Structures are given as structure tokens and as C-alpha cells.
Amino acid sequence: MLIYLAIIFNAILVNNIVFSQFLGICPFIGVSRKIDSAAGMGMAVTFVMAVATAVTWLLQHYVLVPLGLVYIQTIAFILVIAVLVQMLEIIMKKSAPGLYAALGVFLPLITTNCAVLGVAIIVANKDFGFIYSIVYAIATALGFTLALLLFAGIRSQLELADVPRPMRGVPVALLTAGILAMAFMGFSGIKIG
């Protein structure tokens, strides 16, 4: 049980996929203008990352490794993620049209979200067990969601602030993201277990 708490803490705070590993930056910057869009993207990424990790783990251990096809790992993983995102898009279009409209172009971008592919490859390369992989994927996705929500909250406050004209928009967003990354580095000294 303690090992799973360590995995969760580590994936969410210490090695946050956005602030420590710099994966998923495109949706991090693009969707973080509104808190509700950030929350929706976080939920979508959490679902896709968990399911994609489970499917790619099974694919890796029961198809690619036994058949000696590990060299096509990245292509196979991208195809799996693309199919999952297409399924999610169809389901969201029917069941949650408001969220589907709010996410707009960023929902199909989950297909190319390097955080989803990155977690699948990390799990495969480090040869994690199945349950460990799923816990790691969900915790990493929750860390991604936390980063999105924090950043969206800060950006909504920056809209009200008197920011110098040359720093408005993306420059102040990138500066804020850098400060958040440094803040998350403070968690690296904490050890569990």
C-alpha cells in the first residue's frame, strides 16, 4: 500500500509530467485559459491515459515482446492512442456536447499529446507491472490535471492584473509556468517510505 502512495505522490507532485518532464505542454498552454475547459481536458486525458496505458501494456507484453516487434512500439502505441481518442470524441459528442464544444480542437490533440504517449512508453521501458502501470498512469494524469487547473486559475487572475503590454498573453503565461515548475521542484526533497 505504501508503494502505491509513493507512486501517486511522486507522479503528481515530484515528477509532474508537465513541470518536471515537460510533456503535454501544448494542451497545458492552450486549454488553460478557462478552469472548466482545463477540468474537462484533465478528465479526458485521465481517461485516455489510463485506458491507453492498460492497452499498450497488454500490447507490449503479449504481442510486441513475444513476437520480437518491440521496434514498432512507438507506432503501435500511437495507433492505440488515436483509436481511443476517436472513441472518446464520439462518446463526448453524443453525451456531453457542451464539454465537447468547450474542448474544441484540443480534444483531437489528445491523440498527439506527448504526455499520453510518454506515459505509455515510460511504463513499457521501465517494465512496470500491470497494476503499477495503471496506478502510475492515473496518478500522472491527475498531476497533469492539477497542473492545468492551477495554471488556469492563475491565468484567470492574470486577466484582471495590470500586466505590462509586452508581457501580456503568452509571455506572462510562460513566465508563470516557469515559476510553477520551480515551486513543484520543492517537492523533490520529500521522501515517502
Side-chain angles (χ1 to χ4, degrees), residues 109-172:
L109 286 179
I110 294 176
T111 304
T112 58
N113 186 344
C114 56
V116 177
L117 179 61
V119 168
I121 290 174
I122 288 168
V123 163
N125 289 344
K126 292 191 177 187
D127 203 27
F128 292 161
F130 186 73
I131 300 298
Y132 190 104
S133 298
I134 301 304
V135 170
Y136 177 77
I138 292 171
T140 301
L142 291 175
F144 179 80
T145 304
L146 175 67
L148 275 176
L149 290 173
L150 284 172
F151 197 54
I154 291 171
R155 283 183 83 175
S156 67
Q157 292 300 310
L158 283 173
E159 297 280 326
L160 305 172
D162 186 24
V163 178
R165 186 174 304 276
M167 291 298 293
R168 290 184 187 152
V170 176
V172 74

Side-chain angles (χ1 to χ4, degrees), residues 36-93:
D36 53 340
S37 296
M41 179 61 125
M43 288 187 298
V45 167
T46 301
F47 175 76
V48 170
M49 195 176 287
V51 175
T53 300
V55 173
T56 55
W57 189 94
L58 293 169
L59 179 68
Q60 175 80 7
H61 287 83
Y62 293 109
V63 177
L64 298 180
V65 171
L67 297 177
L69 298 173
V70 179
Y71 59 91
I72 65 166
Q73 175 191 65
T74 303
I75 294 169
F77 286 8
I78 289 171
L79 290 173
V80 166
I81 293 166
V83 168
L84 289 172
V85 170
Q86 288 300 325
M87 288 173 29
L88 178 65
E89 189 173 2
I90 291 167
I91 291 167
M92 283 181 68
K93 196 173 193 177

